[in-house]
Amino acid sequence: MKITMLGTGNATVTECYNTCFVLSGDGKHMLVDGGGGNTVLRRLKQAGTDWKDIRDIFVTHKHIDHLLGIIWMARMICQNMSRGTYDGEARIYAHDEVIALIDDMARKLLSAKESAFIGKRLHLITVGDGEEREIIGRKFAFFDILSTKAKQYGFCMDLGGGEKLTCCGDEPYNECERRYAEGSKWLLHEAFCLHSQAGTFKPYEKHHSTVKDACELAERLGVKNLLLYHTEDKNIKNRKELYTAEGRRYYHGNLYIPDDMETIEL
């Protein structure tokens, strides 16, 4: 298994793309979120992944920096189904509110000829809190992170051999996620900025974490590998160095601060 970070930034970044990524293994790919626009198509091309090979998509929540790229994916899928240049089926997974929103937007924004494939070959699949599904040959458990901003789900993926990867979405860890996050081989967690710059970026006002917060959490939960994303972009040139230096003070596992388009073996 590997993860390719198509984007690593927060909602308003301009120096990188919004946070979204692809999980790949055994020739299968799952896209998680889509960023805020059709840059997701460019990022997939740059990664050497044909968008037509993305047959499974998971959307964490409705914020535009996660959702709008999914509408572009839906357009490309349905358009090519209509043209006879897309074989088989595709699936989008999310909680009920996001599924309803995608269905409504797609039917309003796509042509009738394209939207006719929604529910027939492009399946919009609602997942519930604690629900398990097999996707890309792996077992996924989805969970409500109990966001106070917009309903949001994370997930835990079975890596085999008793190991797991847990994605906490783009908000700080909530104790309701402990059963999934604790002891994870990989934890994907947001880190809006350096703790030393919290006064500048005000992460807590936006319900986000600092690097220090995320690293202290991973240390406490016994996480082996911590991957930080959904950051500000004012420190983008030195982000990896700066975030790593701060994080190492609080976390003693393997710390990853990926750039856009970076691929990491899981």
Side-chain angles (χ1 to χ4, degrees):
M1 291 291 299
K2 65 180 181 179
I3 183 171
T4 300
M5 299 302 303
L6 304 180
T8 56
N10 65 32
T12 60
V13 294
T14 57
E15 303 305 310
C16 58
Y17 190 48
N18 311 122
T19 295
C20 55
F21 55 90
V22 176
L23 293 167
S24 304
D26 299 324
K28 299 177 180 179
H29 310 279
M30 178 179 176
L31 174 66
V32 178
D33 290 337
N38 72 350
T39 295
V40 67
L41 302 175
R42 181 184 178 205
R43 287 292 197 243
L44 287 169
K45 182 178 181 180
Q46 290 173 326
T49 302
D50 190 333
W51 66 266
K52 290 183 180 179
D53 291 333
I54 304 290
R55 299 300 175 121
D56 293 284
I57 298 170
F58 174 64
V59 189
T60 58
H61 62 301
K62 69 179 183 180
H63 288 168
I64 60 175
D65 57 313
H66 297 262
L67 180 65
L68 294 190
I70 302 304
I71 302 302
W72 277 97
M73 288 293 294
R75 174 186 173 176
M76 296 298 290
I77 291 168
C78 291
Q79 186 179 76
N80 282 268
M81 285 178 173
S82 175
R83 293 173 177 174
T85 53
Y86 188 100
D87 298 324
E89 302 180 344
R91 296 154 294 274
I92 299 177
Y93 303 87
H95 64 67
D96 54 352
E97 292 180 12
V98 169
I99 288 296
L101 186 57
I102 293 173
D103 186 54
D104 182 59
M105 291 179 68
R107 292 185 187 278
K108 288 178 177 177
L109 297 175
L110 303 185
S111 70
K113 191 175 181 180
E114 294 165 350
S115 63
F117 291 95
I118 298 173
K120 294 181 179 178
R121 289 174 58 194
L122 175 57
H123 304 285
L124 306 184
I125 301 171
T126 299
V127 293
D129 183 25
E131 183 172 340
E132 295 183 354
R133 292 260 181 175
E134 184 172 317
I135 307 172
I136 62 170
R138 300 281 177 171
K139 185 175 74 174
F140 282 76
F142 299 98
F143 54 86
D144 190 336
I145 71 168
L146 300 183
S147 169
T148 58
K149 294 194 298 183
K151 186 176 179 179
Q152 181 172 172
Y153 274 21
F155 66 85
C156 183
M157 178 179 70
D158 186 356
L159 293 171
E163 297 182 319
K164 58 186 177 179
L165 174 148
T166 303
C167 170
C168 295
D170 78 347
E171 292 192 20
Y173 166 84
N174 187 307
E175 270 299 303
C176 69
E177 303 166 48
R178 178 177 288 274
R179 59 177 289 201
Y180 302 105
E182 189 168 32
S184 289
K185 180 180 180 182
W186 288 89
L187 183 69
L188 313 186
H189 197 280
E190 57 86 28
F192 198 84
C193 64
L194 295 166
H195 195 75
S196 62
Q197 294 184 322
T200 299
F201 293 106
K202 305 186 186 313
Y204 305 125
E205 294 180 11
K206 305 175 180 71
H207 200 191
H208 286 304
S209 305
T210 66
V211 172
K212 174 179 179 288
D213 298 330
C215 287
E216 287 181 331
L217 167 71
E219 185 79 8
R220 189 167 68 250
L221 293 178
V223 169
K224 295 179 182 179
N225 301 280
L226 174 63
L227 188 154
L228 301 182
Y229 55 29
H230 204 267
T231 78
E232 49 78 27
D233 64 345
K234 302 301 184 293
N235 294 301
I236 199 70
K237 291 182 178 179
N238 301 308
R239 179 180 62 179
K240 191 183 292 284
E241 178 184 354
L242 292 171
Y243 282 34
T244 299
E246 180 170 283
R248 289 293 185 207
R249 296 165 57 190
Y250 308 100
Y251 173 65
H252 298 92
N254 301 311
L255 180 59
Y256 295 82
I257 316 295
D259 292 321
D260 285 18
M261 303 309 301
E262 190 169 336
T263 296
I264 298 169
E265 295 291 331
L266 301 175

